[in-house]
Amino acid sequence: MKVLYLTKYSRNGASSRMRSYQYFPLLVNDGIEVIVSPFFDAEYLELLYAKKPISKIKIASFYLNRLKKLFTIYSYDKVIIEKELFPYFFSWFEKLLFVFNVKYIVDYDDAIFHNYDLHPNKIIRFLLKNKIGNVMKFSNHVLAGNDYLATKANMSGAKKITILPTAIDMELYDTKFQNKSNKIIIGWIGSPTTYKYVENSIPILNALALKYDFELQIVGAKKEPLTNGFIKYIPWKEETEVELISRFDIGIMPLENNLWELGKCAFKIIQYMGCGIPVVASAVGMNKEVIVNGENGFLVTSEKEWMSTLGKLIEDENLRIFLGEKGKKIASNNYSTQVNYKKLFVILRNI
């Protein structure tokens, strides 16, 4: 079997890495040939995160390269598309695949349909508001990261839908690392594009720092290591990601409560749990599916709850250990790459 993955990003894009690239070794081990063709290259993300200009010629080349790849589509037995073929363009090409009987799988870990139906530009809203719904409808199978995305697929008329959470490789997360800090470490991991969520919570953490001696470690929001008071910014690297999370005493996942956030797949929570780290998260979207409040983590809705819950965890080491152990079992049983792969393999085989 020869499978073409039309991903959005190269491996340095978290969504593509976790939804696609991490399964490639497993597919190859099962005798499946994998060819990957990202829409954007690695340099694009580096420029995007650094907020540097990206030339229109470079952007045009991405569209041209994807178009060229589509002319080879019949060379493959299966096709998996991450989100859409062409960002900010009509679903014409997905419809052509449908018309020419190319049965493709489409994969979502974000509510990207809100990029269009909630876009501030009225013209984009008018022209593209139904785009992702059409992509789902024309597909043979939709892989949805959570219930919210699956509901959208169902409303769009998708033929088949499987909820496939964004998962972690538990063989990597079972590695033990020693926290050498004398301080409690509250940690967050993410990208520059999601940093706004933890940035909005820094006033709460500032207030908490007046009462408790802890360090806030923010991984992935800055390129260079920086320290600002009790806050330490640490660059992200794939090879050190698990080690850095393992050094946290408490993991946090603040979110805003908007439609876009309902499509989030609680990946940070799953990473923290995989490392046996207790979690405090906003009671939004899939966070409420993963966390049972007070049993394997804490869900909060207000500044007061953030303060009191984090304070409780800072003070109680036994509670941190208990919640961490419960979370790790849940990550292993429900959100592991190994569990997901079994579902993915069956889907590929049956199309």
Side-chain angles (χ1 to χ4, degrees), residues 212-271:
Y212 298 103
D213 185 22
F214 67 89
E215 182 172 275
L216 174 63
Q217 292 190 358
I218 296 175
V219 178
K222 307 284 183 181
K223 273 199 165 186
E224 301 298 330
L226 300 167
T227 301
N228 180 16
F230 70 99
I231 306 173
K232 186 176 183 180
Y233 293 88
I234 303 171
W236 175 88
K237 291 182 181 178
E238 184 179 354
E239 56 270 24
T240 60
E241 178 178 57
V242 176
E243 179 179 357
L244 290 171
I245 296 171
S246 294
R247 298 190 191 283
F248 298 168
D249 293 292
I250 304 164
I252 59 172
M253 187 177 175
L255 282 178
E256 296 170 0
N257 192 7
N258 298 314
L259 289 176
W260 173 260
E261 283 70 33
L262 295 179
K264 292 290 181 184
C265 289
F267 183 56
K268 292 177 183 59
I269 292 175
I270 295 164
Q271 286 185 293

Side-chain angles (χ1 to χ4, degrees), residues 21-237:
Y21 285 81
Q22 71 164 326
Y23 295 108
F24 295 170
L26 298 172
L27 290 166
V28 171
N29 285 342
D30 277 330
I32 296 172
E33 184 179 355
V34 177
I35 294 85
V36 58
S37 179
F39 186 85
F40 296 111
D41 62 15
E43 184 187 21
Y44 169 85
L45 264 187
E46 292 174 5
L47 293 172
L48 182 69
Y49 288 160
K51 297 182 179 180
K52 293 182 179 179
I54 303 168
S55 73
K56 292 181 180 178
I57 293 175
K58 185 174 182 66
I59 295 293
S61 72
F62 297 144
Y63 283 81
L64 181 61
N65 290 337
R66 174 58 59 88
L67 183 61
K68 288 179 180 177
K69 197 66 183 178
L70 289 181
F71 281 103
T72 71
I73 204 83
Y74 285 107
S75 303
Y76 307 96
D77 301 302
K78 318 285 181 179
V79 179
I80 299 180
I81 299 169
E82 185 187 342
K83 298 181 175 70
E84 57 192 335
L85 285 174
F86 296 95
Y88 287 92
F89 191 74
F90 301 102
S91 56
W92 295 344
F93 288 93
E94 287 89 351
K95 186 172 184 179
L96 281 174
L97 294 184
F98 171 75
V99 169
F100 286 101
N101 202 32
V102 176
K103 294 179 172 62
Y104 67 86
I105 298 167
V106 66
D107 181 63
Y108 295 95
D109 69 338
D110 267 323
I112 70 156
F113 38 89
H114 291 322
N115 283 347
Y116 303 123
D117 60 21
L118 297 180
H119 199 282
N121 186 302
K122 292 181 180 179
I123 296 175
I124 290 176
R125 282 204 311 274
F126 176 75
L127 294 176
L128 298 177
K129 62 183 178 182
N130 297 319
K131 181 209 172 155
I132 298 302
N134 288 332
V135 174
M136 291 174 164
K137 180 177 68 176
F138 297 139
S139 74
N140 183 263
H141 206 123
V142 175
L143 304 179
N146 62 29
D147 285 336
Y148 185 70
L149 303 175
T151 298
K152 171 64 176 180
N154 185 55
M155 292 173 61
S156 300
K159 301 173 190 66
K160 296 179 183 177
I161 305 162
T162 298
I163 294 180
L164 200 72
T166 304
I168 57 174
D169 184 347
M170 287 305 300
E171 292 181 5
L172 296 177
Y173 279 74
D174 274 339
T175 306
K176 302 292 184 183
F177 296 96
Q178 184 65 38
N179 183 356
K180 297 180 181 179
S181 174
N182 294 323
K183 291 184 177 182
I184 291 291
I185 295 175
I186 298 175
W188 176 91
I189 187 167
S191 70
T193 55
T194 56
Y195 173 61
K196 63 179 182 178
Y197 298 121
V198 72
E199 187 176 36
N200 291 340
S201 299
I202 286 178
I204 299 171
L205 293 159
N206 275 327
L208 193 70
L210 298 176
K211 184 176 181 181
Y212 298 103
D213 185 22
F214 67 89
E215 182 172 275
L216 174 63
Q217 292 190 358
I218 296 175
V219 178
K222 307 284 183 181
K223 273 199 165 186
E224 301 298 330
L226 300 167
T227 301
N228 180 16
F230 70 99
I231 306 173
K232 186 176 183 180
Y233 293 88
I234 303 171
W236 175 88
K237 291 182 181 178

Side-chain angles (χ1 to χ4, degrees), residues 264-310:
K264 292 290 181 184
C265 289
F267 183 56
K268 292 177 183 59
I269 292 175
I270 295 164
Q271 286 185 293
Y272 302 148
M273 287 183 170
C275 290
I277 307 301
V279 181
V280 183
S282 298
V284 174
M286 189 176 170
N287 291 4
K288 296 187 290 184
E289 297 175 33
V290 180
I291 294 176
V292 178
N293 193 37
E295 292 187 21
N296 64 332
F298 288 106
L299 294 166
V300 293
T301 59
S302 66
E303 292 186 7
K304 183 179 179 180
E305 288 181 357
W306 272 105
M307 290 279 291
S308 63
T309 303
L310 287 171

Side-chain angles (χ1 to χ4, degrees), residues 322-333:
F322 172 78
L323 293 175
E325 289 175 349
K326 292 271 286 189
K328 194 171 186 71
K329 288 179 183 177
I330 289 171
S332 180
N333 292 337

